[in-house]
Amino acid sequence: MGAELMSEVEGTVQGHRDGHGFIVRDDRQPDIYLSQQEMRAVLHRDRVKARIIRYDRKGRPEGRVLEILERRKAPIIGRLLHESGIWLVAPEDKRYGQDIMVPKNAIANATAGQVVAIELTEPPSMYSQPVGRITEVLGEIDDPGMEIEIAVRKYEVPHRFSPETLAQAAALPEKIRPADRKHRIDLTDVPLVTIDGEDARDFDDAVYCEPAKIGRTKSPNGWRLIVAIADVSHYVKPGEPLDDDAYERATSVYFPRRVIPMLPEKISNGLCSLNPNEDRLAMVCDMIVDATGEVHAYQFYPAVICSHARFTYTEVATILGNTRGPEAARRDELLPHLLHLHEVYRALLKERGRRGAMDFETTETQIVCDENGRIEKIVPRTRNDAHRLIEEAMLAANVCSADFIARAKHPALYRVHEGPTPEKRTLLQNYLKALGLGLAVSEDPQPKEFQAIAAATKDRPDALQIHTMLLRSMQQAIYTGTNAGHFGLAYDAYTHFTSPIRRYPDLLVHRVIKALLHGKRYHLLSGAVEEAPKVRQGGKAVKGPNIELEHWEAAGVHCSANERRADEASRDVEAWLKCRYMREHLGEEFSGTVSAVTSFGLFVTLDPLYVEGLVHITELGGEYYRFDEARQELRGERSGVRYIVGARVRVQVSRVDLDGRKIDFRMVREGEDDAASLRTRRERVPQAQAGEELARIKAIDRATKAATKAPSRTGKGGAVHPVRAAKATARKASTAPRGSKRR
């Protein structure tokens, strides 16, 4: 620690809504704290050089900015405000920490209160605010879909295709041409079908299964499973505008009621989508699966297919549940093939169990919106056998593609999921020990150990907490050129092959497989397909330069980062919608389940609404609560009351912060059927307090609108932030709620 004091480091500034910030270091060492004073001259996402000047009592470094290496050039999104004759933009992302001044001649056609994009013309300094000019007017904050418009710009999600890309897409044919059919296997007579969700618009994959004989047997003892994937690589070529835009996006981004696609709709919903009764080009993984669920043999080849039907998961599950029902009768020609698919799925599922792959059942939710894009309801997504059937078929094809590439020793992007880091492993070991389950993970944990613990604890009252800890102990899955296996699925090698319409890594895997089928190699940087290098005696290929591997690693980093970006943008929109939704429920009481325990409080998911919020530690009662990291619980020192994941509680919606995407709850009483936490008597919180909070928020809304419509007359040399002024006015009218710690 002492050796690092006064040392200089480089990194990216990460602002905090409370005014301070951190430097995320390039060398991946612990973040460096920046005080509010230091943050005055920098903005969130600036690249800087800094010096470590001191350490706090816990050994955390604090820094001073020496030099700004790079200013973020992306526009900042915010609300345009007019106060005391001065125009300001208040950034929507509160991590920016400072309002941006706008000269009168730089407001474009925007009016006060509108959401705008602003580009900096003068950066901030210790003594002056940043100055900028408006480059785009997005509209009013209440416009339908505005939260998505904000998110795509806030997270810099590319949402407009270049003119060159659109022109290239427009020039593509409407249907496949005779020349496209050359050198392809004709599978148009094979009754392949697509099985997707009700709201799906692009169909990447089609499946078919029939009994097969393995070895010299008289009767079938296995299955032939065909997974046909849209052949996007036939139309999207390296170095062309379509490919450049697809690489920049790296993935489609999914929002409620809207998708930002990786490829233009002509390709994603038309030419490459495996629509029913339309001939389409496909890359096929043709597998023989034995009775134990092992893939006995496989081959890849380009084909022409024709989907015989577009099924939904619900429809297939209904048919499999009642093969003599009306749904089955309507699909009687395809029923035998669906039954064969179900048979091979059950075999693959058994193999999954033997392999020790993890399979935690979690509740996923779907937001149902009205015509204006507001939440109508939030419903759980139920996974049935049809979902699992398709999942197992896709996993099998992905594993075959990884095996095919690995055997050829060709560089590619693998989907890698590593087990726990030493720190997370130790935390998990301590947690399991503290529970006294008699179960543990070894120093070199294997997936089977995790699955065994999950299976042994699935009927316990605290099963949710245990499974959550198992999941949190593992690392995030990434794309990388270095194969390190997939821990969660218990595979030695795994790639993504099955979704090239919406994921760029899958498109790259298709290109590699096509090159290998022709005995050639695919070069990532140039996009060229060349002859394979000569093979030495003993089967080892002559080693090429490492620069090719470096390009694959860089592509993996890019695709992984953009996958995270897409997830963050989607979560941001969902959080905004949920906050908006919960403002209608202020003051109401709900039963809920503790979904996470932290040192500063409990996160609770409401049973009927599937919305998560925070019960701050100060709302748990008049005593000191200690956070036990090993047990992952909060325990009252005086009463012994403890809260763990899975505990049943009853809460009141007390506060909604739309800007901060935060929902706060107040504890009302313990759940009457709570088997996971001890009972405690607690006075009921008066409903009047929630009513005051609702009145306070409405007062803020009214005052904000009034402040943005007309300039204030209170000018004593400095501009007053109208939103802050409105909040101050509202605070005078009602009791200020308690402050909650940032999540």
Side-chain angles (χ1 to χ4, degrees):
M1 188 190 296
E4 236 194 350
L5 196 62
M6 303 305 287
S7 65
E8 294 182 5
V9 295
E10 293 183 4
T12 303
V13 173
Q14 191 171 73
H16 191 282
R17 58 184 289 113
D18 291 345
H20 60 269
F22 300 90
I23 297 174
V24 180
R25 295 169 58 163
D26 292 349
D27 58 12
R28 298 188 179 183
Q29 293 302 304
D31 296 350
I32 299 168
Y33 174 81
L34 292 178
S35 66
Q36 288 193 19
Q37 180 71 11
E38 285 296 315
M39 286 295 292
R40 286 182 64 85
V42 295
L43 286 174
H44 174 61
R45 303 182 80 178
D46 283 349
R47 279 193 45 74
V48 299
K49 180 186 286 185
R51 176 176 291 142
I52 298 173
I53 55 172
R54 66 174 68 88
Y55 289 86
D56 67 10
R57 284 178 297 177
K58 292 185 178 179
R60 295 173 298 196
E62 183 177 337
R64 177 172 296 147
V65 175
L66 301 176
E67 183 185 350
I68 293 156
L69 302 174
E70 183 185 348
R71 293 278 188 189
R72 196 75 182 180
K73 290 183 174 61
I76 297 168
I77 309 304
R79 296 279 293 277
L80 179 64
L81 309 169
H82 193 208
E83 182 64 24
S84 302
I86 296 173
W87 292 93
L88 299 165
V89 169
E92 200 279 337
D93 188 341
K94 300 306 172 190
R95 291 176 297 181
Y96 279 101
Q98 299 186 56
D99 293 343
I100 301 158
M101 297 180 69
V102 188
K104 189 176 180 180
N105 63 355
I107 65 166
N109 297 320
T111 56
Q114 286 188 311
V115 181
V116 298
I118 188 167
E119 141 186 308
L120 292 188
T121 53
E122 293 178 31
S125 73
M126 285 290 186
Y127 312 104
S128 63
Q129 276 181 276
V131 179
R133 68 180 186 88
I134 291 173
T135 57
E136 184 183 10
V137 180
L138 276 66
E140 304 295 335
I141 189 67
D142 288 325
D143 288 350
M146 180 53 69
E147 67 281 357
I148 296 174
E149 296 298 333
I150 291 171
V152 295
R153 291 161 178 82
K154 178 176 171 181
Y155 292 95
E156 297 177 46
V157 175
H159 57 285
R160 292 193 187 101
F161 289 108
S162 68
E164 294 81 8
T165 293
L166 293 174
Q168 190 186 348
L172 289 171
E174 298 296 326
K175 296 184 177 182
I176 64 174
R177 299 157 297 195
D180 298 326
R181 297 173 182 268
K182 289 181 180 177
H183 312 298
R184 288 178 179 269
I185 306 292
D186 188 339
L187 294 184
T188 52
D189 60 334
V190 176
L192 287 144
V193 297
T194 61
I195 306 174
D196 294 273
E198 278 81 358
D199 54 353
R201 293 175 62 199
D202 53 46
F203 309 115
D204 286 291
D205 53 88
V207 290
Y208 167 77
C209 185
E210 66 183 18
K213 295 178 184 178
I214 302 172
R216 296 179 180 178
T217 60
K218 291 183 179 179
S219 57
N221 56 348
W223 298 269
R224 179 191 183 192
L225 174 62
I226 297 178
V227 174
I229 306 299
D231 190 357
V232 177
S233 64
H234 183 81
Y235 300 104
V236 181
K237 303 293 186 184
E240 294 183 347
L242 266 174
D243 187 54
D244 292 341
D245 268 9
Y247 177 73
E248 187 188 2
R249 295 174 181 226
T251 180
S252 295
V253 188
Y254 293 86
F255 299 109
R257 300 202 334 142
R258 184 176 167 192
V259 178
I260 308 292
M262 184 180 82
L263 295 163
E265 284 198 17
K266 178 156 184 185
I267 295 174
S268 57
N269 295 350
L271 192 55
C272 285
S273 183
L274 306 182
N275 301 328
N277 305 312
E278 294 276 357
D279 285 3
R280 291 287 184 259
L281 304 184
M283 279 296 293
V284 169
C285 180
D286 197 335
M287 297 165 273
I288 298 295
V289 181
D290 66 22
T292 68
E294 289 268 0
V295 176
H296 180 76
Y298 67 82
Q299 62 176 327
F300 287 92
Y301 51 83
V304 180
I305 70 156
C306 179
S307 168
H308 281 46
R310 181 267 202 261
F311 282 101
T312 66
Y313 293 122
T314 306
E315 186 183 5
V316 171
T318 304
I319 291 170
L320 293 175
N322 182 8
T323 56
R324 297 187 178 182
E327 289 84 0
R330 279 198 298 271
R331 303 283 198 172
D332 60 330
E333 288 183 8
L334 296 170
L335 179 60
H337 310 306
L338 289 181
L339 294 176
H340 295 322
L341 278 167
H342 196 233
E343 289 166 5
V344 78
Y345 150 68
R346 285 186 299 208
L348 290 167
L349 200 61
K350 284 180 187 174
E351 202 282 323
R352 181 192 187 105
R354 282 193 298 274
R355 206 169 66 239
M358 280 168 269
D359 190 15
F360 302 139
E361 286 294 331
T362 55
T363 303
E364 291 185 16
T365 57
Q366 177 183 2
I367 292 177
V368 180
C369 293
D370 60 20
E371 291 178 359
N372 295 318
R374 301 282 179 256
I375 291 183
E376 202 170 79
K377 58 184 176 179
I378 301 172
V379 295
R381 281 187 193 269
T382 51
R383 266 166 50 85
N384 54 42
D385 268 9
H387 288 90
R388 298 185 186 97
L389 182 156
I390 289 298
E391 182 182 307
E392 287 299 327
M394 297 307 113
L395 290 178
N398 285 336
V399 171
C400 289
S401 66
D403 183 73
F404 186 62
I405 292 167
R407 285 175 183 273
K409 295 183 170 55
H410 194 299
L413 281 189
Y414 290 92
R415 182 66 168 176
V416 167
H417 179 231
E418 295 190 83
T421 61
E423 296 78 17
K424 286 187 174 182
R425 185 195 68 226
T426 302
L427 180 64
L428 180 62
Q429 287 171 332
N430 292 340
Y431 167 72
L432 293 171
K433 191 175 180 182
L435 285 184
L437 294 173
L439 299 167
V441 293
S442 62
E443 290 300 304
D444 182 22
Q446 300 301 310
K448 280 186 177 181
E449 298 175 47
F450 282 69
Q451 185 58 22
I453 294 169
T457 58
K458 64 183 173 63
D459 296 324
R460 286 174 56 101
D462 56 353
L464 175 63
Q465 180 189 21
I466 296 166
H467 293 188
T468 301
M469 283 298 293
L470 291 172
L471 283 168
R472 286 180 182 167
S473 72
M474 290 178 282
Q475 300 177 57
Q476 282 187 311
I478 60 168
Y479 295 107
T480 173
T482 307
N483 177 31
H486 197 293
F487 185 84
L489 295 172
Y491 288 132
D492 293 331
Y494 188 68
T495 59
H496 274 169
F497 163 77
T498 53
S499 295
I501 289 177
R502 60 185 179 90
R503 292 189 305 225
Y504 197 82
D506 303 53
L507 177 56
L508 290 177
V509 165
H510 277 232
R511 288 175 180 166
V512 169
I513 289 173
K514 276 189 175 179
L516 290 173
L517 289 176
H518 290 93
K520 297 185 177 182
R521 310 282 284 187
Y522 173 74
H523 291 278
L524 180 62
L525 191 61
S526 65
V529 175
E530 297 174 356
E531 293 297 329
K534 291 180 182 177
V535 177
R536 287 179 181 164
Q537 202 170 4
K540 290 186 178 179
V542 179
K543 285 190 177 179
N546 285 333
I547 191 138
E548 182 74 9
L549 292 175
E550 289 173 12
H551 292 316
W552 282 100
E553 287 295 341
V557 169
H558 170 80
C559 292
S560 300
N562 285 10
E563 180 185 36
R564 303 283 175 262
R565 177 179 70 183
D567 289 343
E568 287 172 4
S570 298
R571 279 196 297 266
D572 188 77
V573 166
E574 289 193 9
W576 192 95
L577 288 170
K578 286 177 179 179
C579 285
R580 188 76 184 227
Y581 180 56
M582 291 309 293
R583 284 173 65 160
E584 305 302 316
H585 295 280
L586 270 167
E588 295 180 26
E589 291 182 11
F590 298 95
S591 295
T593 304
V594 175
S595 48
V597 181
T598 71
S599 59
F600 54 83
L602 314 168
F603 287 101
V604 175
T605 300
L606 305 182
D607 290 342
L609 302 181
Y610 299 97
V611 170
E612 187 180 66
L614 174 71
V615 178
H616 193 266
I617 198 165
T618 55
E619 294 287 351
L620 294 180
E623 65 173 308
Y624 180 74
Y625 279 84
R626 184 180 297 278
F627 178 58
D628 186 332
E629 188 178 32
R631 293 179 180 272
Q632 289 290 298
E633 70 177 22
L634 277 173
R635 185 188 289 268
E637 288 205 335
R638 178 174 50 79
S639 65
V641 171
R642 63 192 184 98
Y643 294 98
I644 62 172
V645 172
R648 305 280 298 128
V649 293
R650 189 154 182 87
V651 296
Q652 183 187 54
V653 183
S654 61
R655 182 171 176 266
V656 176
D657 177 4
L658 200 59
D659 288 342
R661 313 288 197 266
K662 293 198 305 180
I663 301 165
D664 289 339
F665 299 146
R666 181 182 288 127
M667 194 70 77
V668 177
R669 65 175 180 271
E670 302 302 314
E672 291 172 3
D673 58 344
D674 182 5
S677 72
L678 301 178
R679 295 171 183 268
T680 178
R681 288 190 303 274
R682 202 173 308 287
E683 290 183 10
R684 189 179 176 84
V685 179
Q687 189 79 10
Q689 288 184 23
E692 289 170 9
E693 173 66 10
L694 183 57
R696 187 184 75 85
I697 283 184
K698 288 180 177 176
I700 290 173
D701 282 350
R702 286 194 299 271
T704 303
K705 286 175 184 174
T708 53
K709 282 178 183 174
S712 170
R713 299 179 184 274
T714 61
K716 291 190 179 179
V720 178
H721 194 304
V723 174
R724 289 179 197 140
K727 288 182 178 176
T729 305
R731 276 197 293 271
K732 291 175 186 175
S734 65
T735 307
R738 55 103 186 136
S740 72
K741 216 168 187 177
R742 175 71 174 142
R743 294 182 189 178

